[in-house]
Amino acid sequence: MNGLEDMIQFPQFVDDFMQRQFTDKQVGRFYVGHSTNSKKRLSQLITEMICEITGGSAKYVGRDMRTAHAGLGITGAIGCNCEEPGRFA
Ligand code: HEM
């Protein structure tokens, strides 16, 4: 990524990606019951997280990944390391 244009388009990119997750056949069920505003907040937090990890000026202010995903039962083929310790991992 480089340049102002990319910086402006990045939140929209994450938003589009998350919209697809919310209606996805495999993972959409995890977002059932989330309000429109909660989904927007999620996109915003993920945008901030990626910005911080990639050295941008935004700061991630959300919960650590273990806390945010604990109890959701994300396992198997769609599993990731969300329930492992660490702020971003
Ligand atoms: C199949 C994989 C995943 C599913 C189904 C999933 C689902 C969810 C759900 C349902 C929440 C909301 C939890 C709540 O508000 O109680 C959440 C929060 C979050 N997830 Fe994931 N997630 C997945 C993977 C990831 C990955 C790989 C990342 C990192 C890029 C990530 C980043 C976040 C962040 C930043 C939050 C917000 C934390 C907060 O609310 O403070 N998630 N996720």
Side-chain angles (χ1 to χ4, degrees):
M1 256 192 295
N2 53 53
L4 187 60
E5 195 180 328
D6 287 345
M7 281 172 59
I8 292 167
Q9 286 176 359
F10 184 61
Q12 187 60 53
F13 170 83
V14 176
D15 230 44
D16 291 347
F17 172 78
M18 289 308 293
Q19 283 308 321
R20 288 200 293 279
Q21 307 313 301
F22 299 147
T23 54
D24 183 81
K25 252 207 284 183
Q26 267 192 303
V27 298
R29 66 190 167 90
F30 290 103
Y31 305 97
V32 170
H34 279 62
S35 67
T36 303
N37 185 254
S38 295
K39 290 177 186 166
K40 265 217 152 324
R41 181 174 174 277
L42 200 48
S43 294
Q44 187 181 342
L45 285 168
I46 290 170
T47 302
E48 288 172 1
M49 175 185 270
I50 296 170
C51 284
E52 183 175 334
I53 290 171
T54 56
S57 56
K59 284 276 165 275
Y60 175 69
V61 296
R63 296 169 288 175
D64 66 88
M65 292 295 89
R66 178 181 239 183
T67 303
H69 297 91
L72 291 176
I74 301 172
T75 57
I78 59 163
C80 53
N81 289 328
C82 309
E83 300 208 15
E84 293 299 315
R87 190 161 162 245
F88 294 132

